[in-house]
Amino acid sequence: MANSVKRIAVFTSGGDAPGMNAAIRAVVRTCSFHDLHVYGIYHGYDGMIKGDIVRLEKGDVANIIHRGGTILKTARSKDFMTKKGRQSAYETLMAHDIDGVVAIGGNGTFTGAHIFQKEFGVPMVGVPGTIDNDLYGTDYTIGFDTAVNTAVEAVDKIRDTADSHSRLFFVEVMGRHSGFIALNTGIGSGAGGILIPESKSDVNALLEHLKKMAKRKKLFNLVVVAEGNENGSAHDIADIVKKEFTQYEPKVTIIGHLQRGGSPTALDRLIASEMGYHAVDFLMHHKSDIMTGIQNSKIVAVPLQDAIKKSKKPEKSMLKMANILSL
Ligand code: F6P
């Protein structure tokens, strides 16, 4: 059966993530291989609304696989949340005869894509690009591995000065509602404590842990705190600890947006390439309203509704393991 899909558009939206460029490259090159026309939409849904769309050729994505950020730029669009905005976006796509869209982003991006395809019937395939790794149905999201590696490198450096001064550092990493970055960074850097939003009793557990360490006179100098931690920010936790343990001189470092930049790791380039390639394949096979996920190293199609509505939480056993290894 001849493929009826002829024109595909691709865009990035929400927080940028290292590896998004590798995904864009994969989409463009796969389309080119199948003789499909491919269009890049700049600035996410905002660009779709304003008609900021250009034809991309395979040469346009040369020399970008190793670059962080996104050549298509990104935005968090308020206008796309309105019916009027989505109507304008639809008109842009129709003006270019687009019959399939690859949306690279996270939860907000996919929520928009799901509503849009329901309202206007435009086939949409999501590619998970967010450093937070908080999407259900995929073991990895693009950018997570790079962000964790960047955070581990930063924490290693903080450890040097923490150790030299025998100081206690609270390092805050990104993760608006999720603790994946904090958990993996904490384990990877051998932190004494890890505080994540998914585990509520953790401040008391941390205080207990600190008491035990103080008794043994064991040097304890690193706690990794997720940005979305419900018991408070790294500053709040440092204040609590300061009150209980006057011998410590707690310091706080917030790594922040440093984690979102930089050259993607090999793993991020690999999964971005696979996901971009398969996203085009799904559209060619008339699959829509899905996200390309990776489960046990295999590409799967995950309903967008599941990806955005169901929750993915770090394994409790990982936290337990981290505690044991830091004793
Ligand atoms: O979604 C990725 C993320 O980096 C979160 O970890 C963080 O809370 C948020 O984006 C920050 O967004 P912005 O750069 O828009 O402030």
Side-chain angles (χ1 to χ4, degrees):
M1 190 182 71
N3 171 45
S4 57
V5 176
K6 298 271 178 266
R7 289 162 178 246
I8 285 178
V10 58
F11 70 95
T12 50
S13 159
D16 60 304
M20 279 182 163
N21 282 328
I24 296 166
R25 172 181 176 269
V27 169
V28 173
R29 295 269 163 100
T30 308
C31 285
S32 168
F33 176 78
H34 291 293
D35 288 327
L36 308 180
H37 286 188
V38 61
Y39 288 78
I41 300 168
Y42 284 90
H43 305 285
Y45 288 118
D46 276 350
M48 202 187 279
I49 292 168
K50 291 178 187 146
D52 200 354
I53 176 169
V54 295
R55 175 88 191 270
L56 294 175
E57 303 288 351
K58 58 183 177 190
D60 293 325
V61 291
N63 215 14
I64 65 166
I65 195 166
H66 60 297
R67 281 168 57 189
T70 158
I71 59 159
L72 291 178
K73 317 288 183 186
T74 187
R76 299 190 195 277
S77 175
K78 288 212 170 73
D79 291 343
F80 197 75
M81 291 178 189
T82 66
K83 183 80 197 263
K84 190 167 163 253
R86 293 194 292 276
Q87 177 66 41
S88 304
Y90 177 68
E91 282 159 19
T92 297
L93 297 184
M94 288 310 99
H96 292 82
D97 290 326
I98 301 297
D99 38 25
V101 179
V102 179
I104 307 171
N107 200 291
T109 307
F110 295 167
T111 303
H114 179 62
I115 295 170
F116 189 62
Q117 84 84 38
K118 257 172 103 181
E119 277 176 353
F120 296 98
V122 178
M124 305 286 289
V125 171
V127 168
T130 163
I131 63 166
D132 290 351
N133 198 31
D134 59 348
L135 287 165
Y136 175 89
T138 187
D139 296 341
Y140 288 104
T141 58
I142 297 166
F144 171 64
D145 188 58
T146 307
V148 169
N149 276 285
T150 300
V152 166
E153 198 184 329
V155 175
D156 285 350
K157 288 179 178 163
I158 291 165
R159 183 192 278 282
D160 288 344
T161 176
D163 197 41
S164 304
H165 284 269
S166 303
R167 277 176 179 160
L168 174 57
F169 270 79
F170 290 84
V171 184
E172 187 172 299
V173 296
M174 273 188 162
R176 201 187 337 228
H177 305 295
S178 91
F180 285 100
I181 297 178
L183 183 63
N184 284 24
T185 300
I187 294 172
S189 59
I194 304 170
L195 301 182
I196 60 173
E198 293 87 351
S199 179
K200 281 191 183 147
S201 65
D202 48 14
V203 176
N204 291 335
L206 174 71
L207 293 174
E208 279 308 306
H209 195 49
L210 278 169
K211 268 180 209 154
K212 280 190 200 145
M213 296 296 118
K215 251 191 206 160
R216 281 171 47 198
K217 297 205 173 8
K218 183 175 187 282
L219 184 62
F220 183 98
N221 48 20
L222 280 170
V223 177
V224 175
V225 184
E227 176 191 13
N229 179 48
E230 286 176 10
N231 291 301
S233 66
H235 279 290
D236 298 332
I237 308 293
D239 287 344
I240 296 171
V241 169
K242 206 174 189 170
K243 276 186 203 134
E244 293 270 334
F245 298 91
T246 44
Q247 73 271 38
Y248 289 125
E249 189 194 344
K251 298 275 177 191
V252 174
T253 300
I254 296 172
I255 306 182
H257 288 79
L258 198 81
Q259 289 153 100
R260 283 227 304 246
S263 182
T265 60
L267 178 65
D268 274 330
R269 297 179 200 194
L270 187 74
I271 61 170
S273 300
E274 281 192 272
M275 287 177 170
Y277 171 83
H278 283 280
V280 174
D281 194 62
F282 284 145
L283 284 171
M284 287 176 69
H285 287 88
H286 305 287
K287 290 195 181 146
S288 173
D289 205 19
I290 51 166
M291 173 191 85
T292 58
I294 289 207
Q295 295 174 11
N296 300 320
S297 308
K298 294 230 158 34
I299 290 282
V300 290
V302 181
L304 274 185
Q305 199 163 4
D306 288 354
I308 55 187
K309 294 263 164 65
K310 294 189 178 173
S311 72
K312 180 171 99 176
K313 292 197 171 137
E315 295 288 339
K316 283 248 159 68
S317 58
M318 292 285 277
L319 258 188
K320 186 178 166 203
M321 180 194 80
N323 287 336
I324 291 171
L325 298 187
S326 72
L327 288 177

